[in-house]
Amino acid sequence: MGGFFGTISKGACITDLFYGTDYNSHLGTRRGGMATYDKEEGFTRSIHNLENSYFRTKFEPGLPKFKGKAGIGIISDTDAQPIVINSHLGKFAIVTVAKINNLDELEKELLEANMHFSELSSGKTNQTELVALLITQGKDFVEGIENVYNKIKGSCSMLLLTEDGIIAARDKWGRTPIVIGKKDGAYAATSESSSLPNLDYEIEKFIGPGEIVRLRADGMEQMRKPNEGMQVCSFLWVYYGFPVSCYEGKNVEDVRFMSGYKMGQKDDSEVDCACGIPDSGVGMALGYAEGKGVPYHRAIAKYTPTWPRSFTPANQEMRALVAKMKLIPNRAMLEGRRILFCDDSIVRGTQLRDNVKILYDYGAKEVHMRIACPPLIYSCPFIGFTSSKSPLELITRQIIKELEGDENKNLDKYATTDSPEYKKMVGIIAERFGLSSLKFNTLETLVEAIGLPKCKVCTHCFDGSSCF
């Protein structure tokens, strides 16, 4: 996926920029980048590979070279960013959180218009540069950004560092968030509101879908009003988001707690305690324990010093290794107990298979699993959810293919809670991984916990719905 942070202030910005960008590190592990602007020295940019290191480690030695009162930074799982452009609109640096499904089509269109690409990522056009070129086709920044909104299929939120402030533009359907923070003499724009508190920013505004604002040290200017329709990704609350972050005014941990609480109230399973799979399953498990009226125990712990999130490595073998190595079971809390575990989702089933075996090996009497969201039936065409290239990487689609002979058959039935097809699919998953029981949260409960109208939340990966 990816996350960005930008700040503009009356004084030097690099400290806030450095730490603010780092607070987006849970959203990606491939590349990090920062750019600053100074009236005398112009633009300074640096990009580092983060696959074998961390953002702070890579960037801290080079901080003295960044001058100026405005800057943008990115943690990306896609392209090398920021890109710095010189155009008729002036010089600007740009970072994006985007998934562009028609990249090849747009690349061809721009090349036929006598434009060229200088930045390549793994031999392919850098999608952030493509966005920058689409922007330069406008007579001004607003028209250029609207050109991006109109041309791309997928999603794109962005920050532009210009010679006259920072421009923040949210995806036209609001699939990914931008939060504005404010403190005396400075503004910030970020993907994660958790970037703000320790830098003394207060949340000032949640940018709306398609909205464009310009930040200067002394104020914020709306350049384009938000669109009426919104399809913010529901998975932000289920998995991506850091617990203290808020999107659309809805806190991540609160949503996870409430979804677990509501599930616990309805669950008639007999268990001794509830536990959470770190990190994103913990909030749900705390809510489940309270709703169910059973104690919360930490029967499995995450080794945090060196192991990152497991969805980011591109290699499946490495993902499986990370998934296994970062979680350490506690035999003392498992032995002889009927344990109920909460987790955010089941994608491929790799982590579930390994975790359940270990739990039984360490003496668990029963292992029950509760999942924060409905089964993932559809691949996400809108944001970079995982590195999956095919729907068949989803455990649900593999089972549907086994049952139907075609992984695309009767998807609506398998996505309908408590339909015969749904029950059979869930039963097979539970049996395949040796679970005493398996239940997924319903779509209705998830949306209710988020607290936004269903029409404002994207649930495509669960039910195939789309605003297009």
Side-chain angles (χ1 to χ4, degrees):
M1 191 178 169
F4 52 53
F5 183 92
T7 182
I8 184 165
S9 64
K10 294 180 179 179
C13 73
I14 187 56
T15 299
D16 281 6
L17 178 62
F18 174 62
Y19 289 109
T21 303
D22 183 65
Y23 274 126
N24 286 269
S25 292
H26 60 288
L27 295 174
T29 60
R30 287 192 68 189
R31 295 183 178 91
M34 294 195 302
T36 55
Y37 173 71
D38 180 76
K39 285 186 177 181
E40 283 72 38
E41 298 192 21
F43 289 86
T44 300
R45 179 188 75 159
S46 183
I47 299 170
H48 288 292
N49 188 307
L50 304 180
E51 290 176 292
N52 297 309
S53 188
Y54 293 99
F55 178 84
R56 289 197 309 276
T57 305
K58 288 284 191 178
F59 281 87
E60 193 166 19
L63 291 183
K65 74 178 182 180
F66 289 97
K67 309 294 183 184
K69 300 177 181 179
I72 56 176
I74 183 88
I75 305 288
S76 176
D77 265 335
T78 54
D79 308 300
Q81 306 182 57
I83 302 298
V84 180
I85 297 289
N86 190 6
S87 73
H88 73 97
L89 300 175
K91 294 179 181 178
F92 66 94
I94 178 173
V95 293
T96 66
V97 172
K99 181 175 182 180
I100 303 176
N101 297 313
N102 57 335
L103 184 70
D104 293 341
E105 173 190 325
L106 292 174
E107 175 190 296
K108 181 179 178 182
E109 179 183 311
L110 290 169
L111 290 173
E112 289 176 350
N114 297 324
M115 304 188 83
H116 74 280
F117 296 92
S118 59
E119 302 273 357
L120 296 177
S121 295
S122 303
K124 295 183 178 181
T125 293
N126 184 312
Q127 65 179 13
T128 300
E129 184 180 18
L130 184 140
V131 170
L133 293 182
L134 290 173
I135 291 172
T136 62
Q137 290 185 326
K139 69 177 186 295
D140 55 32
F141 281 114
V142 172
E143 184 175 280
I145 293 169
E146 287 182 329
N147 188 44
V148 176
Y149 292 162
N150 295 331
K151 288 289 185 76
I152 71 162
K153 296 176 181 177
S155 69
C156 181
S157 293
M158 67 189 88
L159 296 180
L160 279 66
L161 174 63
T162 76
E163 295 166 303
D164 182 24
I166 293 174
I167 296 173
R170 188 178 177 188
D171 170 66
K172 69 177 181 179
W173 285 102
R175 297 191 186 280
T176 50
I178 303 180
V179 186
I180 303 298
K182 179 184 179 182
K183 66 179 177 180
D184 288 343
Y187 278 87
T190 181
S191 300
E192 289 280 85
S193 66
S194 52
S195 302
L196 302 174
N198 285 350
L199 298 174
D200 298 325
Y201 292 92
E202 296 287 342
I203 294 175
E204 178 76 3
K205 176 182 175 65
F206 296 95
I207 293 184
E211 187 175 7
I212 305 172
V213 301
R214 188 197 303 270
L215 303 178
R216 299 183 179 93
D218 57 358
M220 174 172 54
E221 168 197 0
Q222 186 183 67
M223 302 174 74
R224 182 188 189 275
K225 292 182 179 181
N227 298 328
E228 292 269 336
M230 181 170 70
Q231 286 283 281
V232 60
C233 175
S234 57
F235 227 67
L236 289 166
W237 289 277
V238 172
Y239 178 67
Y240 294 125
F242 198 72
V244 302
S245 279
C246 295
Y247 317 113
E248 314 307 323
K250 310 296 183 181
N251 174 253
V252 170
E253 183 74 356
D254 186 51
V255 170
R256 292 175 182 169
F257 183 92
M258 288 307 300
S259 67
Y261 182 84
K262 293 174 184 295
M263 202 173 191
Q265 284 185 311
K266 301 173 184 176
D267 198 346
D268 58 2
S269 302
E270 293 186 7
V271 297
D272 297 316
C273 61
C275 314
I277 301 292
D279 289 310
S280 43
V282 173
M284 177 196 176
L286 288 166
Y288 181 95
E290 186 165 322
K292 177 71 173 170
V294 297
Y296 175 86
H297 287 172
R298 190 160 65 167
I300 190 166
K302 180 181 177 183
Y303 190 73
T304 56
T306 56
W307 290 102
R309 281 186 151 189
S310 56
F311 82 99
T312 43
N315 179 276
Q316 172 60 39
E317 185 178 347
M318 181 57 70
R319 278 197 302 269
L321 176 63
V322 172
K324 176 183 178 183
M325 297 300 291
K326 70 179 183 178
L327 298 179
I328 304 175
N330 187 343
R331 186 185 298 273
M333 303 301 293
L334 288 165
E335 206 157 24
R337 288 187 171 95
R338 300 170 298 175
I339 309 284
L340 185 140
F341 280 92
C342 294
D343 205 356
D344 53 79
S345 60
I346 300 176
V347 183
R348 300 170 184 86
T350 305
Q351 293 187 43
L352 181 62
R353 180 186 299 110
D354 293 342
N355 289 341
V356 173
K357 182 180 184 303
I358 291 171
L359 296 173
Y360 280 124
D361 289 346
Y362 274 65
K365 185 177 179 181
E366 296 177 7
V367 177
H368 303 261
M369 189 66 66
R370 300 294 178 264
I371 305 300
C373 64
L376 295 165
I377 303 290
Y378 300 85
S379 296
C380 178
F382 306 120
I383 62 176
F385 167 35
T386 70
S387 57
S388 297
K389 301 297 187 294
S390 164
L392 265 177
E393 293 190 40
L394 297 172
I395 184 67
T396 54
R397 287 294 191 98
Q398 295 170 23
I399 291 171
I400 291 170
K401 185 174 182 179
E402 292 170 13
L403 295 173
E404 304 284 355
D406 180 352
E407 69 270 22
N408 299 310
K409 189 174 180 181
N410 293 328
L411 296 184
D412 57 333
K413 295 180 180 178
Y414 287 96
T416 302
T417 303
D418 289 337
S419 70
E421 291 81 3
Y422 174 97
K423 288 180 177 178
K424 189 166 189 178
M425 176 184 67
V426 173
I428 290 173
I429 296 174
E431 182 180 3
R432 187 161 295 180
F433 299 126
L435 293 167
S436 304
S437 71
L438 170 65
K439 293 182 182 180
F440 291 82
N441 224 340
T442 67
L443 188 59
E444 294 76 15
T445 299
L446 175 60
V447 172
E448 184 182 352
I450 291 172
L452 295 172
K454 170 66 169 67
C455 63
K456 298 283 188 180
V457 180
C458 182
T459 57
H460 174 87
C461 52
F462 311 126
D463 61 5
S465 62
S466 175
C467 55
F468 297 117

